[in-house]
């Protein structure tokens, strides 16, 4: 798990000790302050980063000098580097464990006791002490460890010259009571810990050896380079961080080899050694600080070159002479610590030498001197190549010095990240919050109002579904968790009516208002920091450094083996389509799909929204590669592969035209029944009656329509009355069918109850008599006869049941349908026959005639007759998605089809429509704005103007997940929320298409009142979070998204950018996107 992010305050607490030491060393007149607490300019941050890297590189030279690296060795290694060779610092090691001898000794294993013995020739007894002993066998092994710390050039450690810093072979004796050796006989890489190495080519490149063998560090950031983004994010600092990261890993691996592997082979190895002393290097000064100096007057130093005057109000970084003083203090404290460590380990080599005096500051002020390397004559390592055991002062000094080197490298990484943390802190302080994608979306909504002219301002995608100026039937919206999405919209005058298929045999033509929307999303992704290059097998990670806690400041050295998030990454907001209808409105039908041409809609989903329904359909958002990236990828392919990729790309671009069609139900219903639009506005009862007959009962609209051939030139009230009469007649037929089924159920219930009573009495008497006969052994034959009679009675009862099942066959088709709907309810009375679970048997009374049925008189009322089974609310209103309620499945699991259901479209037909519904068809219009050409137009403009290649065409489609529905069981009941799984979604699509089929008479009647919304979406992708985009990438996301927004707007409105934006914004846009406004004046 990643450690918490270290901010400015956390870093300052870690470095406060070093800052206090620096203040003492630099004298009280010069006060080093952390850069965040000193007013400074942006260029001072570059200077602070340079000072941190220079101090880290110089401190590394000090530490390696303590291990024996001389100026001559540095010059030799730099010669390799100038030849273009890679220079590597490497630790190699090998151990041997050889059996030497076997010894046997007797050891006392129990308490000593006193006993008496008699001795011949001696009177009396003698006292003797006796104890129990056993023979102990011991195996003695000679354990030897050979290691070498050296630098080499190239890729072959053994193939060329080497510079050896330290090497040694130590031996000790290991004793064990087991015949198994404590270590393999020969081991070169124990546990995978060694060899370990680090590339020091970068460090050598920036070391400068001056006159008098003075060694300095020269490091500068190319501030004007295109790769330089910020003081932290540039090629020079990235290379430095890579070097210091390698040093941290190298030092940790060396520590793990010696302390956690070599010195744990046996207790004899560390006899007389204080192992904990090698880790106690916290007192050594680390001269790596992101500080700035400020004060009044000039420095009190008499050395002319030792300090730089600090005017009032001015700030600067540490001067070379001041850093030289810190380096000298580091050398003194490091050698003092190494002497203490050496004294804690056995060995007979030389003790570490005393610290040398500081060298003069070089004349070049850009060089940071290393005061210790030039004057050092011998290293802190003793001259004991083969003396002593395995854990001696030589190994201890190497481990302790590299532990300090690890702290230096970690402090350098933390220091340059401190500069970036300052930028982050200042950005948060300027805007008052840690910026997120939600903040950016809110600002872009504001920015659109000040960027565009009034006619082109982005609008929320919330549209009322209405006809003319009449009350809306509901609303359509595309929303996220933050609110409605904004689009640039243009009302499009189509050259030809829209066409879409309901089935393979029915196609609908719609004259509708068409709107084209350009939707631009922006996506920020904080990403994942690498969990490091992984710890090598057998190496446990060292304790966290004092300077770094594994947070975001140096993600390259985070411990662990799997990627971990460096910061919390909020999930992108869910995009969904919201369809809502008003109460007491007929509602509308929503058809969702893609445009297959200028005037062809390929439907994918459909649903009916009415009576206060509210549906939320989650939309899946899929992006495809940017146009220029696609061109670059296929450039290296064969012509055949390119043709295939371009064809697939064309299909993907067509899918970016997300279409939403809304068809109001009432205007189309009025037209279907032969009434003018608005004729049923005041007649709510008749409107709902017609909808119930068409939508639930599947009555063809032609049977309900006013017939002009018989009505002549009737007035509007007469035409409405004719429609009312036709609706009453249709309702009467349905009521008669209901009554017929009710009467049949009642008769069947009476017959069954009578037969059950007779059967119960007969069975009870037969069982009693059979029981008595069984008590008498003399009446066995009679008992068998009685049992046969009982079985015969059971067969007669089953025959009656079979005849009752055949009773509905004499009814009409409508009554049979209603009978199957209510058959289970009428038979669930817990009868004796049900409890007996008698098997099915063929009828024995086929000649029995069913009782006669009587058709009731027609009734204009829509209520069921008295005594009829109750009808569920869904029967009158439809399923949650508007699907008509049909008869329940029969015994075979098949639902009978409703009579006359010509609009119920099958799944196979719908699939055929989706596969080939007019794909590629073009409107035979007069040219102008073509919807199918819009994706190609955007492709060309993105290639021309999208400099960063960050805009990805986006496919919107309904996600393959459950929808959310908020519906009312009845008009006055409270709304209930429930999920709509994919199975019910398909049923809702069939119900919607069945309703459209009925209202258009299978496409014979065109749709005159509809709305079509075509959304072409794109996503501007940023590789990092919003904060990292500003702080690390030094990118203004507003300018980037603004350019992408203008590209989409100019394509949708078919006009130049200068027409879209306000005059005051033209100069600013021309400054960052001059190709959008050629010839415009640039804002200074």
């Amino acid at each position: 798990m990643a450690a918490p992010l270290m901010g400015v305050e956390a870093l300052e607490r870690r470095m406060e000790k070093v800052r206090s030491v620096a203040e003492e060393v630099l004298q009280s007149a010069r006060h080093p302050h952390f850069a965040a607490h000193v007013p400074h300019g942006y260029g001072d941050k570059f200077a602070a980063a340079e000072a941190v890297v220079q101090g880290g590189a110089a401190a590394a030279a000090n530490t390696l000098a303590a291990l024996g690296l001389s100026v001559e060795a540095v010059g030799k290694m730099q010669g390799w580097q100038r030849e273009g060779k890679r220079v590597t610092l490497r630790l190699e090691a090998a151990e041997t464990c050889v059996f030497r001898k076997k010894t046997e000794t007797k050891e006392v294993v129990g308490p000593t006791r006193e006993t008496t013995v008699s001795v011949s020739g001696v009177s009396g007894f003698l006292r003797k002490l006796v104890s129990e002993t056993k023979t102990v066998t011991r195996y003695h092994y000679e354990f030897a460890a050979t290691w070498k710390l050296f630098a080499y050039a190239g890729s072959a450690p053994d193939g060329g010259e080497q510079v050896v810093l330290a090497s040694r072979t130590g031996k000790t004796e290991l004793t064990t009571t087991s015949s198994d050796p404590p270590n393999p006989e020969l081991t070169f890489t124990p546990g995978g810990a060694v060899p370990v190495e680090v590339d020091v080519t970068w460090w050598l490149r920036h070391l400068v050896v001056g006159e008098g063998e003075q060694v300095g560090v020269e490091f500068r950031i190319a501030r004007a380079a295109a790769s330089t983004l910020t003081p932290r994010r540039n090629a020079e600092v990235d290379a430095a961080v890579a070097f210091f990261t390698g040093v941290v890993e190298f030092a940790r691996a060396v520590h793990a080899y010696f302390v956690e592997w070599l010195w744990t082979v046996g207790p004899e190895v560390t006899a007389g050694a204080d192992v904990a002393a090698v880790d106690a290097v916290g007192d050594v000064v680390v001269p790596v600080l992101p500080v700035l100096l400020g004060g009044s007057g000039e420095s009190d130093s008499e050395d002319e070159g030792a300090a730089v005057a600090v005017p009032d109000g001015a700030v600067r970084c540490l001067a070379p002479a001041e850093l030289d003083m810190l380096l000298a203090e580091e050398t003194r404290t490091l050698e003092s610590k190494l002497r203490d460590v050496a004294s804690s380990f056995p060995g007979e080599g030389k003790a570490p030498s005393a610290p040398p005096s500081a060298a003069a500051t070089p004349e070049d002020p850009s060089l940071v001197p290393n005061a210790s390397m030039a004057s050092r004559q011998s290293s802190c390592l003793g001259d004991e190549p083969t003396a002593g055991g395995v854990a001696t002062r030589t190994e201890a000094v190497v481990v302790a010095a590299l532990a300090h080197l690890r702290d230096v490298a970690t402090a350098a990484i933390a220091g340059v990240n401190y500069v970036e943390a300052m930028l982050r802190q200042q950005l948060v302080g300027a805007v008052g919050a840690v910026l997120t994608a939600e903040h950016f979306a809110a600002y872009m909504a504001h920015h659109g109002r000040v960027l565009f002219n009034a006619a082109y301002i982005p609008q929320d995608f919330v549209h009322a579904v209405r006809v003319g100026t009449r009350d809306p039937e509901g609303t359509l919206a595309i929303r996220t968790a933050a609110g409605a999405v904004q689009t640039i919209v243009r009302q499009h005058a189509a050259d030809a009516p829209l066409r879409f298929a309901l089935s393979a045999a029915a196609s609908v033509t719609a004259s509708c208002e068409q709107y084209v929307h350009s939707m631009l999303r922006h996506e920020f992704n904080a990403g994942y920091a690498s969990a490091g290059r992984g710890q090598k097998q057998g190496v446990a990670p060292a304790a966290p450094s004092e300077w770094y806690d594994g947070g975001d400041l140096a993600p390259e050295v985070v411990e662990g083996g799997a990627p971990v998030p460096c910061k919390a990454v909020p999930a992108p907001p869910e995009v969904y389509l919201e369809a809502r209808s008003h109460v007491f409105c007929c509602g509308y039908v929503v058809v969702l799909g893609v445009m297959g041409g200028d005037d062809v809609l390929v439907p994918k989903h459909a649903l009916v929204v009415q009576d206060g329904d509210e549906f939320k359909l989650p939309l899946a958002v899929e992006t495809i590669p940017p146009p220029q990236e696609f061109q670059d990828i296929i450039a290296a392919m064969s012509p055949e592969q390119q043709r295939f990729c371009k064809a697939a790309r064309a299909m993907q671009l067509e899918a970016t035209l997300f279409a939403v069609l809304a068809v109001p139900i009432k205007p189309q219903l009025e037209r279907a029944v032969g009434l003018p639009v608005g004729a049923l506005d005041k007649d709510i009862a008749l409107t709902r009656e017609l909808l119930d007959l068409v939508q639930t009962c599947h009555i063809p609209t032609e049977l309900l329509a006013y017939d002009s051939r018989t009505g002549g030139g009737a007035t509007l009230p007469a035409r409405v009355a004719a429609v009312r009469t036709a609706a009453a007649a249709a309702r009467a037929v349905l009521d008669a069918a209901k009554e017929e089924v009710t009467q049949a159920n009642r008769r069947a219930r009476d017959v069954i109850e009578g037969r059950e009573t007779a059967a119960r009495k007969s069975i009870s008497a037969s069982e009693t008599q059979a029981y008595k006969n069984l008590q008498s052994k003399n009446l066995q034959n009679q008992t068998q006869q009685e049992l046969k009679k009982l079985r015969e009675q059971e067969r007669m009862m089953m025959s009656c049941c079979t005849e009752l099942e055949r009773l509905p066959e004499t009814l009409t088709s409508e009554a049979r349908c209603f009978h199957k709907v209510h058959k289970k309810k009428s038979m669930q009375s817990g009868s004796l026959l049900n409890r007996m679970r008698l098997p099915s048997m063929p009828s024995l009374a086929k000649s029995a005639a069913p009782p006669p049925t009587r058709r009731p008189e027609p009734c204009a009322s829509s209520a069921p007759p008295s005594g009829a089974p109750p009808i569920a609310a869904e029967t009158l209103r439809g399923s949650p998605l508007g699907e008509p309620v049909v008869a329940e499945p029969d015994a075979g699991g098949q639902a009978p089809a409703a009579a006359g259901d010509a609009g119920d479209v099958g799944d196979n037909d719908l699939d055929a429509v989706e596969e080939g519904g007019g794909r590629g068809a073009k409107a035979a219009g007069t040219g102008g704005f073509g919807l199918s050409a819009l994706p190609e137009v955007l492709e060309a403009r993105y290639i021309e103007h999208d400099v960063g290649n960050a805009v990805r065409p986006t496919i919107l489609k309904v996600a393959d997940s459950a929808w959310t529905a908020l519906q009312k069981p009845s008009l006055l009941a409270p709304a209930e929320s429930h999920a709509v799984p994919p199975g019910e979604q398909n049923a809702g699509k069939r119900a919607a298409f069945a309703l459209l089929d009925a209202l258009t008479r299978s496409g014979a009647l065109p749709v005159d009142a509809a709305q079509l919304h075509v959304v072409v979406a794109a996503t501007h992708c940023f590789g990092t979070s919003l904060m990292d985009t500003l702080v690390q990438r030094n990118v203004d996301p507003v300018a980037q998204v603004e350019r992408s927004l203008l590209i989409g707007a100019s394509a949708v409105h078919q006009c130049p950018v200068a027409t879209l934006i306000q005059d005051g914004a033209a100069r600013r846009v021309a400054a960052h996107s001059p190709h959008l406004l050629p010839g415009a004046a640039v804002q200074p």
Side-chain angles (χ1 to χ4, degrees):
M1 179 178 179
L5 176 67
M6 286 180 63
V8 172
E9 295 180 358
L11 275 171
E12 290 176 353
R13 286 194 298 268
R14 297 292 180 91
M15 294 185 288
E16 175 59 31
K17 177 181 177 181
V18 178
R19 192 203 65 80
S20 301
V21 173
E23 192 170 17
E24 295 177 2
V25 172
L26 299 178
Q27 303 176 5
S28 59
R30 298 171 227 166
H31 302 284
H33 298 283
F34 290 114
H37 302 283
V38 179
H40 60 276
Y42 187 68
D44 295 327
K45 291 182 172 64
F46 283 93
E50 292 169 347
V52 167
V53 175
Q54 289 171 351
N62 266 355
T63 307
L64 293 179
L67 295 178
L69 185 65
S70 63
V71 176
E72 294 79 5
V74 170
K76 185 176 182 180
M77 294 165 63
Q78 285 185 322
W80 298 340
Q81 177 263 321
R82 283 191 291 269
E83 294 174 1
K85 297 179 180 179
R86 177 176 178 263
V87 184
T88 306
L89 183 64
R90 179 183 178 93
L91 173 69
E92 284 185 349
E95 300 91 33
T96 59
C97 187
V98 181
F99 175 74
R100 290 305 182 190
K101 63 181 179 179
K102 173 183 175 182
T103 61
E104 294 182 353
T105 59
K106 290 186 177 182
E107 297 181 356
V108 177
V109 296
T112 301
R113 65 182 186 276
E114 184 179 299
T115 184
T116 58
V117 296
S118 62
V119 181
S120 61
V122 179
S123 60
F125 297 91
L126 297 178
R127 293 181 179 180
K128 182 179 181 181
L129 297 177
V130 179
S131 60
E132 294 184 11
T133 62
K134 73 172 183 178
T135 301
V136 178
T137 303
R138 288 185 173 86
Y139 301 87
H140 300 266
Y141 295 85
E142 183 183 75
F143 179 78
T146 301
W147 56 268
K148 182 171 64 172
L149 181 64
F150 64 99
Y152 69 93
S155 58
D158 302 327
E161 294 183 287
Q162 297 180 354
V163 172
V164 179
L165 276 70
S167 64
R168 189 177 178 280
T169 299
K171 297 180 180 180
T172 189
E173 184 180 270
L174 301 180
T175 303
T176 178
T177 58
S178 173
S179 59
D180 297 330
N183 204 59
E185 183 175 353
L186 181 61
T187 305
F188 286 102
T189 56
V194 292
V196 292
E197 56 186 28
V198 57
D199 187 353
V200 295
T201 308
W202 175 90
W203 178 68
L204 294 171
R205 185 181 301 118
H206 291 85
L207 286 183
V208 178
V209 179
E211 297 181 0
E213 294 186 341
Q214 294 297 314
V215 178
V217 178
E218 185 176 13
F219 176 80
R220 286 291 180 266
I221 300 174
R223 307 185 186 187
S227 60
T228 300
L229 303 178
T230 66
R232 167 63 182 86
R233 305 293 167 171
N234 51 80
E236 292 77 20
V237 172
D238 287 343
V241 169
F243 164 73
F244 289 123
T245 300
V247 169
V248 171
E249 294 178 349
F250 177 78
R252 285 179 175 176
V254 173
H255 179 280
Y257 169 66
F258 282 106
V259 178
E260 301 172 23
W261 168 261
L262 186 60
W263 295 351
T264 59
V265 172
E268 300 90 346
V269 174
T270 56
D274 184 8
V275 178
V278 299
D279 292 325
V281 294
D283 296 336
V284 180
V285 174
V286 178
V288 181
L289 282 173
V291 296
L292 295 175
L293 295 178
S296 301
E298 296 187 0
S299 173
D300 55 358
S301 175
E302 297 179 0
D303 187 355
E304 182 177 347
V308 178
V310 182
D312 292 335
V315 294
R316 61 175 176 82
C317 296
L318 292 176
E322 294 164 339
L323 184 55
D324 187 12
M325 299 171 64
L326 289 179
L327 291 170
E329 182 66 15
E330 180 209 20
T331 302
R332 185 190 67 79
T333 55
L334 174 61
E335 294 191 354
S336 175
K337 176 57 65 176
L338 293 183
R339 286 196 302 272
D340 295 341
V341 172
S343 63
S344 301
F345 280 75
E348 298 182 1
K350 295 180 180 179
S353 58
S357 58
T361 302
E363 297 180 359
D364 187 357
S366 66
L367 300 180
V368 178
N370 182 344
S372 63
M373 183 177 292
S375 57
R376 183 183 301 278
Q377 301 299 324
S378 63
S379 70
C380 292
L381 300 176
D383 296 331
E384 43 171 349
T386 59
V390 174
T392 65
R393 64 176 52 174
T394 302
E395 289 85 359
V397 168
V398 169
V399 174
L402 291 181
H404 171 65
L405 182 61
R406 179 199 63 202
D407 288 346
V408 168
T410 309
I413 296 173
V416 294
N417 285 318
Y418 175 85
V419 177
E420 184 171 283
M422 281 195 302
L423 286 172
R424 189 181 301 272
Q425 184 186 58
Q426 290 166 354
L427 179 62
V428 173
V431 299
V434 178
L435 297 177
T436 62
E438 288 74 16
H439 293 108
F440 185 74
Y443 173 77
M444 289 309 299
H446 159 77
H447 186 71
R449 294 191 294 270
V450 300
L451 173 66
F452 288 94
N453 288 321
Y456 306 106
I457 294 177
Q459 304 293 329
D460 291 344
F461 191 100
V462 180
H463 295 272
V465 180
R466 66 167 68 200
V467 179
T469 59
R470 301 168 65 183
D471 288 340
E473 301 289 333
T475 57
L476 279 173
I478 297 180
R479 300 183 182 274
T480 65
V485 301
Q486 287 198 328
T487 62
I488 296 174
V489 58
R490 172 190 175 181
Q491 187 169 0
H492 171 50
D495 295 335
L498 180 71
R499 295 179 292 112
F500 64 96
L502 299 177
S503 66
S507 180
V508 176
T509 302
S511 299
C512 52
E513 299 177 355
Q514 296 188 11
Y515 299 89
V516 183
H517 302 261
S518 174
M519 173 183 171
L520 180 66
R521 302 173 61 251
H522 30 81
E523 185 175 291
F524 295 92
N525 181 15
Y528 288 88
S530 171
R533 302 172 189 174
Q535 295 293 336
K536 296 178 176 58
Q537 185 180 2
V539 179
S545 169
E546 178 186 0
W547 302 99
Y548 173 64
D549 65 353
D552 182 58
L553 293 172
E556 297 84 356
V557 294
V558 175
E559 298 169 359
V564 292
C566 59
K567 285 178 288 294
V569 183
E574 180 185 5
V575 183
Y576 60 91
L577 175 71
E578 180 186 81
R580 179 183 299 178
S581 70
H582 296 165
V583 185
F584 288 101
C585 290
C586 294
Y588 54 96
V589 178
V590 180
V591 181
L592 307 173
V594 297
M595 296 301 296
D598 289 344
D599 60 345
V600 177
L601 170 63
V602 182
K604 302 292 184 181
H605 298 270
L607 69 156
V608 179
V609 187
Q610 57 186 169
D611 290 338
D613 293 344
E614 180 180 332
F615 290 91
K616 292 182 179 180
L617 284 63
L619 300 180
V621 180
E622 300 178 1
T623 61
I624 61 178
Q628 187 60 53
E629 180 180 330
F630 173 77
Q631 297 292 340
D632 296 341
I633 292 174
I634 67 173
M637 296 182 179
S638 67
E640 292 77 12
Q641 294 169 341
Q642 290 186 10
R643 285 196 299 269
F644 175 80
C645 293
K646 289 179 181 179
R649 178 80 174 186
M651 181 189 68
Q652 293 175 333
L653 291 177
E654 180 181 290
T656 61
L657 293 174
F658 179 62
V660 182
L661 176 66
V663 181
I665 295 176
K666 180 184 282 188
Q668 194 62 27
L669 175 64
E670 292 169 337
R671 177 164 187 170
V673 297
L675 297 177
V677 176
L680 298 177
D681 285 350
K682 307 299 183 182
D683 202 332
I684 300 177
L686 179 57
T687 302
R688 301 192 67 83
E689 175 69 6
L690 292 174
L691 271 180
D692 183 62
L693 292 173
V694 174
Q695 189 174 359
T696 306
C697 303
H698 297 282
I699 301 297
T701 55
E702 190 173 4
L703 299 180
L704 304 174
Y706 165 75
D707 192 351
S708 59
R709 295 172 298 179
T710 59
T715 61
L716 178 60
R719 298 170 69 177
V720 173
V723 172
R724 193 188 309 276
T725 302
R731 178 60 66 183
V733 173
L734 294 176
D735 291 342
K738 294 178 185 178
E739 179 62 24
E740 196 171 319
V741 172
T742 301
Q743 295 297 334
N745 289 339
R746 185 180 294 112
R747 289 193 299 270
R749 211 164 32 244
D750 293 343
V751 173
I752 290 173
E753 290 177 357
R755 295 299 180 95
E756 284 183 354
T757 302
R760 189 181 299 109
K761 292 180 180 180
S762 176
I763 291 174
S764 177
S766 299
E767 288 177 347
T768 302
Q769 187 61 34
Y771 177 76
K772 292 180 179 180
N773 292 339
L774 288 175
Q775 300 300 319
S776 176
K777 297 181 180 180
N778 299 327
L779 299 178
Q780 293 182 359
N781 294 335
Q782 184 177 359
T783 302
Q784 294 177 357
Q785 295 177 359
E786 293 294 335
L787 291 175
K788 289 181 180 180
K789 291 181 180 179
L790 179 60
R791 295 190 185 96
E792 184 65 24
Q793 291 176 359
E794 293 176 356
R795 284 193 292 270
M796 292 180 63
M797 292 175 58
M798 289 303 305
S799 176
C800 294
C801 293
T802 303
E803 295 300 330
L804 290 175
E805 289 291 333
R806 295 184 56 188
L807 179 62
E809 295 180 2
T810 61
L811 303 177
T812 63
S813 60
E814 294 84 355
R816 283 200 306 273
C817 179
F818 230 85
H819 172 75
K820 287 189 176 182
V821 173
H822 301 283
K823 178 177 64 177
K824 290 185 179 180
K825 293 183 179 180
S826 61
M827 295 296 291
Q828 291 175 351
S829 58
S831 63
L832 176 64
L833 292 178
N834 291 333
R835 292 196 303 270
M836 292 178 64
R837 301 181 182 273
L838 297 177
S840 300
M841 299 184 64
S843 175
L844 300 179
K846 293 184 178 182
S847 59
T853 60
R854 179 178 61 87
R855 297 180 62 87
E857 295 296 329
C859 178
S861 173
S862 60
S866 176
I871 301 175
E874 289 80 359
T875 305
L876 298 179
R877 185 178 179 274
S879 68
L881 285 174
E883 183 187 16
V885 176
V886 297
E888 296 183 12
D890 55 17
Q894 301 294 331
D901 187 6
D904 198 1
V905 185
D907 290 338
N908 295 334
D909 292 340
L910 296 181
D911 294 339
V913 172
E914 292 180 1
E915 292 296 332
R919 183 178 298 274
K922 300 290 183 180
T926 59
F929 190 86
L931 291 178
S932 60
L934 183 56
E936 286 79 6
V937 172
L938 285 171
E939 286 268 290
R941 300 203 178 194
Y942 286 139
I943 292 176
E944 181 181 0
H945 302 299
D946 183 20
V947 180
N949 217 19
V951 181
R952 292 175 171 265
T954 303
I955 299 173
L956 293 179
K957 62 180 181 180
V958 180
D960 297 330
S961 58
W963 302 349
T964 302
L966 188 65
Q967 295 181 302
K968 295 182 177 182
S970 61
L971 288 177
L972 300 181
E976 300 176 356
S977 178
H978 62 91
V980 184
E984 293 186 16
Q985 296 172 16
N986 294 331
K989 177 180 178 179
R990 290 193 295 270
F993 276 14
L995 179 59
L996 288 176
D997 186 84
L999 295 179
T1000 61
R1001 298 183 186 176
S1002 297
L1005 296 177
V1007 175
D1008 289 337
Q1011 283 185 7
L1012 175 66
H1013 298 272
V1014 179
V1015 182
V1016 54
T1019 303
H1020 192 113
C1021 299
F1022 294 91
T1024 57
S1025 67
L1026 177 57
M1027 290 294 295
D1028 289 344
T1029 300
L1030 290 164
V1031 175
Q1032 296 181 0
R1033 309 303 299 171
N1034 195 27
V1035 171
D1036 179 10
V1038 174
Q1040 302 285 323
V1041 175
E1042 182 182 75
R1043 179 175 61 244
S1044 303
L1045 195 64
L1046 292 174
I1047 294 174
S1050 63
V1052 168
H1053 288 288
Q1054 294 292 290
C1055 62
V1057 173
T1059 308
L1060 300 174
I1061 61 178
Q1062 300 179 15
D1063 296 336
R1067 298 180 63 188
R1068 180 178 50 80
V1069 173
H1072 63 76
S1073 301
H1075 46 278
L1076 292 179
L1077 294 171
V1082 179
Q1083 181 177 1

